[in-house]
Amino acid sequence: MTRRIALLAVVLLGLGTLVLHAPRSSHSQGTDVYLNATKGGSRKLGIAIPEFTPVNSAPDEGNFARLLPDIIANDLRFSALFTVATPPPLPAAPEAVRQEFQKLAQSGAHAAMQGLLTIAGPRATVEFRVYDLMSPDFRLIAAKTFWVEPLGNHRRLAHRIADEVVNLFTGERGIAETKIVYVARVGANKEIMMIDYDGFNQVPLTELKSLSLSPAWSPTDSTVAFTSFFKGYPYVFRLYPFNPRRRDPELMSAWPGINISPAWAPDGKTVALALSKDGNPEIYTLRVGSSDFKRLTNNRGIDTDPTWSPTGREIAFSSDRGGVPNIWVMDAEGANPRRLTTGFDTQPRWSPKGDILIFTRRTGGGFEIWAINPDGGNARSLAQGEGATWAPDGRHIAFSSSRNGRPQLYTMLADGSEQQVLTRDRGEASGPTWSPRPQ
């Protein structure tokens, strides 16, 4: 571990516990600097991302030299790990570049990115380099090249670069390449929609002209389970959003009565869901692709909204067996149920790291997102809203709120801070589910 890496680590300690790793075999040059930033903190890494430098004679008609760094900057700001400056393009002469780095370092930047942009036909290629501005020689700590085509997919290219930058400084990929699927009201119907994590590139996944609800991403592949009434009854189906040959919903569960609230197990091979086939709604598990059902709960109350712990050993759910809906937790086999909350509580969602459960609480003023530890301690209100979902980094949450008149999607950090609107649909947006990182 070099002295310069150690100095950079000291600056970043406010983000969490520092973990340095040996150099890995990759396309990066130099030694990657890793930082465990999952515990939060007030200190952020200052990074400068100048406008990219075109390196060929093809005209940049899409102004990608400016657009790409702007998108990357927004991604890094959203991560809440970085403060970002966007200065003019770097000069060509090496000594002038050094002088610019000195100015950036004096202004508070700890690192700087240089982007070299090549446009050839429908393809855009970016070589990005990251420099340590705390070292006397402004040491190069990473260099990678990514490309995308057609040029209209430039946002995907920018998101990928941003995720690599997050990975460089934390050892964990960012979430800029992820997607959010949600329920959108279209006239009198509700359809399933998909957007980029930052609200761009809306794509309809269903056009069933019916009521579709409760989408849930598989943690292991690009499929989404959901409930829909388009065959006349509430059955559970699944979609393949990225496979144009499999755009029609595939039936997963069609027992008599209701089939609702699908939730994937961490291995992606089992779904927990609520069925009323034997009377009142109870929690069952279904082995995907088979008829292997197992009943987990058995009482006179309504049990619904299951969510798996990241270990797959426990399931939290909502039950009104005590008179009003509360959040309960049981073993994955259905044993040892215990009540976790005492409010009017539904829609639990277990964090990817297993340390927090979030849920919706009905209050006198409407609905709020609450959080609680899995042992029942430290219950706290996070935001006005309902139907929350975790990002795969365990640091961000998306949820629905009607605070501005009609339900729209919002995001926030896990402590409730940095709340911001995500969608501005003409209708309503609710029931979000956040995708895993792409493979």
Side-chain angles (χ1 to χ4, degrees):
M1 178 170 63
T2 68
R3 179 173 177 271
R4 302 319 308 177
I5 294 178
L7 281 175
L8 184 58
V10 170
V11 172
L12 302 176
L13 276 176
L15 289 172
T17 303
L18 179 71
V19 181
L20 293 178
H21 296 258
R24 302 177 305 169
S25 175
S26 71
H27 297 294
S28 297
Q29 299 178 6
T31 303
D32 288 355
V33 182
Y34 291 94
L35 177 69
N36 182 350
T38 60
K39 295 184 179 180
S42 58
R43 296 289 296 275
K44 297 183 180 182
L45 172 70
I47 186 168
I49 308 179
E51 187 173 318
F52 286 177
T53 303
V55 295
N56 67 334
S57 58
D60 182 13
E61 296 178 351
N63 200 16
F64 297 118
R66 182 184 61 80
L67 288 178
L68 290 171
D70 282 351
I71 297 167
I72 295 168
N74 287 333
D75 290 341
L76 296 182
R77 292 188 187 105
F78 182 87
S79 76
L81 302 174
F82 298 84
T83 59
V84 187
T86 53
L90 292 174
E95 183 57 31
V97 171
R98 179 179 179 82
Q99 293 174 1
E100 184 63 26
F101 282 172
Q102 289 175 339
K103 294 178 183 177
L104 293 172
Q106 291 170 358
S107 68
H110 308 115
M113 177 191 294
Q114 180 185 31
L116 305 178
L117 171 66
T118 300
I119 297 177
R123 176 178 294 190
T125 302
V126 171
E127 179 188 352
F128 75 94
R129 304 170 181 175
V130 180
Y131 297 87
D132 173 11
L133 299 189
M134 295 185 66
S135 63
D137 56 351
F138 304 129
R139 186 176 56 87
L140 177 69
I141 58 176
K144 287 191 176 183
T145 300
F146 293 135
W147 59 269
V148 70
E149 62 179 57
L151 295 176
N153 287 335
H154 64 281
R155 299 191 66 85
R156 181 181 178 186
L157 174 60
H159 293 329
R160 188 176 183 189
I161 294 172
D163 283 350
E164 285 292 322
V165 173
V166 172
N167 184 62
L168 173 66
F169 289 104
T170 69
E172 181 180 348
R173 286 172 60 198
I175 59 171
E177 288 188 274
T178 60
K179 306 283 187 177
I180 294 176
V181 163
Y182 67 100
V183 177
R185 179 174 291 280
V186 181
N189 305 312
K190 290 191 174 182
E191 304 286 359
I192 307 298
M193 296 283 184
M194 181 173 69
I195 52 175
D196 293 352
Y197 94 107
D198 56 1
F200 285 81
N201 297 325
Q202 184 187 70
V203 176
L205 298 184
T206 66
E207 296 179 353
L208 302 175
K209 296 180 173 57
S210 183
L211 189 64
S212 296
L213 306 166
S214 305
W217 276 99
S218 166
T220 58
D221 61 25
S222 298
T223 64
V224 177
F226 69 106
T227 294
S228 182
F229 289 73
F230 83 99
K231 288 187 175 293
Y233 299 94
Y235 295 156
V236 172
F237 301 85
R238 67 171 167 175
L239 294 165
Y240 295 79
F242 306 113
N243 189 339
R245 297 181 180 179
R246 303 180 74 172
R247 295 305 300 269
D248 293 334
E250 294 183 1
L251 187 64
M252 293 182 69
S253 176
W255 288 96
I258 63 172
N259 302 250
I260 57 172
S261 303
W264 296 88
D267 64 4
K269 298 178 180 179
T270 302
V271 170
L273 70 168
L275 303 175
S276 63
K277 69 186 189 70
D278 296 319
N280 60 307
E282 304 282 359
I283 305 297
Y284 293 73
T285 57
L286 161 67
R287 195 73 174 171
V288 178
S290 74
S291 58
D292 182 13
F293 276 85
K294 181 178 180 180
R295 182 170 176 171
L296 302 186
T297 61
N298 188 359
N299 64 85
R300 295 182 179 181
I302 295 175
D303 297 333
T304 186
D305 291 328
T307 179
W308 297 77
S309 71
T311 64
R313 297 173 184 169
E314 294 180 294
I315 295 174
F317 61 102
S318 176
S319 176
D320 69 353
R321 63 185 68 183
V324 298
N326 303 136
I327 305 304
W328 290 68
V329 176
M330 62 182 170
D331 296 346
E333 299 298 317
N336 301 317
R338 68 182 191 276
R339 186 166 61 182
L340 205 64
T341 69
T342 57
F344 195 106
D345 305 322
T346 60
Q347 300 174 316
R349 298 293 183 266
W350 219 305
S351 74
K353 302 182 185 300
D355 56 342
I356 302 173
L357 277 157
I358 53 176
F359 58 93
T360 299
R361 170 163 290 181
R362 193 176 77 178
T363 67
F367 296 95
E368 294 180 359
I369 305 298
W370 277 61
I372 194 169
N373 296 350
D375 62 2
N378 195 25
R380 64 271 191 195
S381 176
L382 299 181
Q384 174 191 345
E386 59 184 310
T389 181
W390 287 96
D393 64 358
R395 300 182 62 249
H396 292 82
I397 294 170
F399 61 101
S400 176
S401 175
S402 302
R403 63 186 64 180
N404 290 324
R406 64 180 186 275
Q408 294 295 311
L409 301 189
Y410 292 75
T411 61
M412 63 180 172
L413 294 180
D415 62 1
S417 64
E418 301 199 23
Q419 297 182 27
Q420 53 189 301
V421 66
L422 181 65
T423 60
R424 292 179 173 84
D425 288 11
R426 293 181 178 179
E428 300 176 357
S430 62
T433 178
W434 212 312
S435 80
R437 296 178 176 93
Q439 301 297 318

